[in-house]
Amino acid sequence: RNYAAYEALSSNPAALVDRLNLIMTGNMLTPESRSTMITAVTNVGGSGASQAENRVEMALMLFQISPDYLIQK
């Protein structure tokens, strides 16, 4: 797995979620889902590379279970 491009965004959870929103849902994420994801990603603990990787993995997991990703319009 090479998440380097996304790990670079991990210090800014909103930017990370917005980038994945574009790639995974074509910017179809609801404002409510976006807000929930940003909060969850922000709350991922750790520091440095470990936190960056964990934030990316959390964001990807949230997208994978999101109705906005599963049911594209």
Side-chain angles (χ1 to χ4, degrees):
R1 302 183 320 222
N2 184 356
Y3 297 143
Y6 303 109
E7 289 173 359
L9 298 173
S10 69
S11 63
N12 182 344
L16 174 60
V17 169
D18 289 343
R19 180 68 178 148
L20 291 173
N21 181 24
L22 174 65
I23 293 168
M24 296 184 77
T25 71
N27 279 331
M28 297 300 291
L29 195 63
T30 64
E32 295 83 9
S33 293
R34 179 181 181 272
S35 178
T36 299
M37 288 183 186
I38 290 170
T39 299
V41 171
T42 299
N43 289 329
V44 171
S47 62
S50 171
Q51 182 184 43
E53 184 178 340
N54 290 341
R55 281 184 168 183
V56 171
E57 288 176 353
M58 171 65 80
L60 288 169
M61 182 178 57
L62 291 170
F63 270 95
Q64 291 170 350
I65 63 171
S66 168
D68 303 310
Y69 170 75
L70 295 171
I71 306 169
Q72 292 196 2
K73 300 166 183 123

